[in-house]
Amino acid sequence: MKMNEGVEWAVHSCVNLCFIPGEAVTAKRLAAFYELPTAYLNKQLQALTRAGILSSTSGPKGGFQLAKAPDKITLLDVVVAIDGSEDAFRCTQILKAGPGADEKADYRKTCVVSMSMRKAELTYRRELAAKTIADLVEQVESTYPETAENTRGWFANLKS
Amino acid sequence: MKMNEGVEWAVHSCVNLCFIPGEAVTAKRLAAFYELPTAYLNKQLQALTRAGILSSTSGPKGGFQLAKAPDKITLLDVVVAIDGSEDAFRCTQILKAGPGADEKADYRKTCVVSMSMRKAELTYRRELAAKTIADLVEQVESTYPETAENTRGWFANLKS
DNA sequence: GGTGCGGTACTCGGATAGAGTGTGTCCGAGTAGTTGAGG
DNA sequence: CCTCAACTACTCGGACACACTCTATCCGAGTACCGCACC
């Protein structure tokens, strides 16, 4: 059960975008910040764009920026955008192949195994949904006060 | 983020083994119950054995049986045995490549992104750890009272 | 000098290879029961 | 008739192919800016 590696990049990039509001930042610069492969990060940002989390602009002066307020973007949104919305536990309804099975039953809802696994995942998703990008930014700013300014400065210098 | 498919088989098999206590059941019979590929289910049962959840016996009259009391086997135990104990979210500490990074810092513990993801996973694992195989068996017996006897009967008939 | 048009440089976007892991299968290692010969 | 040993049949256990998804990359589609010709 491994999550897509791009989720980490995506979340960090969203946080960084919060430090540079009202400006389109290219995938190239976002990638340079963490020394990531540009093309691959671009792919993740595309996924975020498709999900409506970012908005993208082509051409010179183009790039990505947040499409929504940071407090409206949850960690779950980002995870789903990159990693898909499917549950980790896939109930294949093996009970249907068992003896005495009800062909019409939806065992994803009645099987106690499936229910337990789903319940656990639900708490997981709920936890992720409770955390927004704005929360993360706030946490960073209170714990590492210089980070915001440093990041802004770094991106400003790279511009030249 | 997809979990190993074998987890579903493993949990169901553990539950079935609870219905047939004190007897070694072969992978072949367990597989036949749900029409699963025998060799592959065997592989999962091996993993459960390595984890100390099942005990195995070779030769005729051999097979698998629970190595512990059902109320000492949690869903988390089974998931870890089959799917591994690694966290789904892998913090690669990309902050280390960023500007102003502390080379000695362990960002798995200080990075707010990593912390949030880990916290969510922790609630997930806690939920799984709170549910035992015995709980599932009890749930089945109270919801579908005839299942236990039917299962026992099915395995008894197959023996011939 | 002002205006409009074409070229250029730069960006995102999707289509395309390569690597790693999950999925499925096969044959060898080990053991209990059976059967046969010998005492 | 009893004992023992070899054989057989059956099981687990790990090694071996196959397929799919994640990882990584490249080239084409689209756009703002710049420069030049024309009015």
Side-chain angles (χ1 to χ4, degrees):
Chain A
M1 191 176 65
K2 285 189 302 187
M3 176 174 290
N4 217 310
E5 194 180 357
V7 171
E8 184 184 13
W9 306 359
V11 177
H12 277 283
S13 294
C14 284
V15 171
N16 278 343
L17 283 174
C18 284
F19 294 143
I20 314 162
E23 183 182 342
V25 184
T26 68
K28 196 174 173 185
R29 285 163 69 200
L30 282 170
F33 192 80
Y34 293 122
E35 299 175 7
L36 301 174
T38 303
Y40 192 30
L41 176 63
N42 188 33
K43 193 185 180 72
Q44 317 297 347
L45 299 176
Q46 280 176 41
L48 294 179
T49 304
R50 273 194 294 272
I53 295 171
L54 301 184
S55 67
S56 64
T57 320
S58 280
K61 290 285 179 185
F64 296 91
Q65 51 189 321
L66 294 180
K68 300 196 281 186
D71 63 343
K72 299 297 184 197
I73 305 171
T74 70
L75 279 184
L76 183 62
D77 293 333
V78 177
V79 168
V80 165
I82 304 290
D83 209 53
S85 59
E86 280 180 16
D87 285 337
F89 179 82
R90 297 163 284 171
C91 176
T92 59
Q93 305 196 48
I94 63 176
L95 289 179
K96 272 201 176 156
D102 180 1
E103 196 54 44
K104 296 184 297 298
D106 183 357
Y107 285 110
R108 282 171 299 187
K109 296 199 179 124
T110 59
C111 168
V112 297
V113 174
S114 179
M115 277 163 50
S116 298
M117 297 299 294
R118 245 162 245 289
K119 185 183 168 205
E121 276 194 52
L122 200 60
T123 65
Y124 173 65
R125 295 174 111 81
R126 216 191 302 272
E127 193 77 24
L128 287 184
K131 201 94 174 180
T132 67
I133 298 295
D135 294 335
L136 293 181
V137 171
E138 190 182 338
Q139 246 180 297
V140 170
E141 285 178 338
S142 69
T143 316
Y144 311 101
E146 69 283 1
T147 299
E149 190 48 41
N150 285 351
T151 304
R152 255 188 294 275
W154 188 90
F155 275 103
N157 287 339
L158 194 72
K159 207 183 300 180
S160 58
Chain B
M1 190 174 65
K2 284 189 302 185
M3 176 174 289
N4 217 310
E5 193 179 358
V7 170
E8 184 184 13
W9 306 358
V11 176
H12 277 283
S13 294
C14 283
V15 171
N16 278 342
L17 282 174
C18 284
F19 293 142
I20 313 161
E23 181 182 345
V25 183
T26 67
K28 197 174 173 186
R29 285 163 70 202
L30 282 170
F33 192 81
Y34 293 123
E35 298 176 7
L36 301 173
T38 303
Y40 192 29
L41 176 63
N42 189 34
K43 194 185 180 74
Q44 318 296 347
L45 298 175
Q46 280 176 43
L48 294 179
T49 304
R50 273 194 294 271
I53 296 171
L54 301 184
S55 68
S56 64
T57 321
S58 280
K61 290 284 179 186
F64 296 92
Q65 52 189 321
L66 293 179
K68 300 196 282 187
D71 62 343
K72 300 296 183 198
I73 306 172
T74 70
L75 278 184
L76 183 62
D77 293 332
V78 177
V79 168
V80 165
I82 304 290
D83 209 54
S85 59
E86 280 181 16
D87 285 336
F89 179 83
R90 296 163 284 171
C91 176
T92 59
Q93 305 196 47
I94 64 175
L95 288 178
K96 271 199 176 155
D102 181 0
E103 196 54 43
K104 295 185 297 299
D106 184 356
Y107 286 110
R108 282 171 299 187
K109 297 201 179 122
T110 58
C111 168
V112 297
V113 174
S114 179
M115 278 163 50
S116 297
M117 297 298 294
R118 245 164 244 288
K119 187 184 166 206
E121 276 194 53
L122 201 60
T123 65
Y124 173 66
R125 294 174 112 80
R126 218 191 301 273
E127 193 78 23
L128 287 184
K131 200 92 174 182
T132 68
I133 297 295
D135 293 335
L136 292 181
V137 170
E138 190 181 338
Q139 246 180 296
V140 169
E141 285 179 338
S142 68
T143 315
Y144 310 100
E146 70 283 2
T147 298
E149 190 48 41
N150 285 351
T151 303
R152 254 189 294 275
W154 188 90
F155 276 103
N157 286 340
L158 195 71
K159 206 183 299 180
S160 58

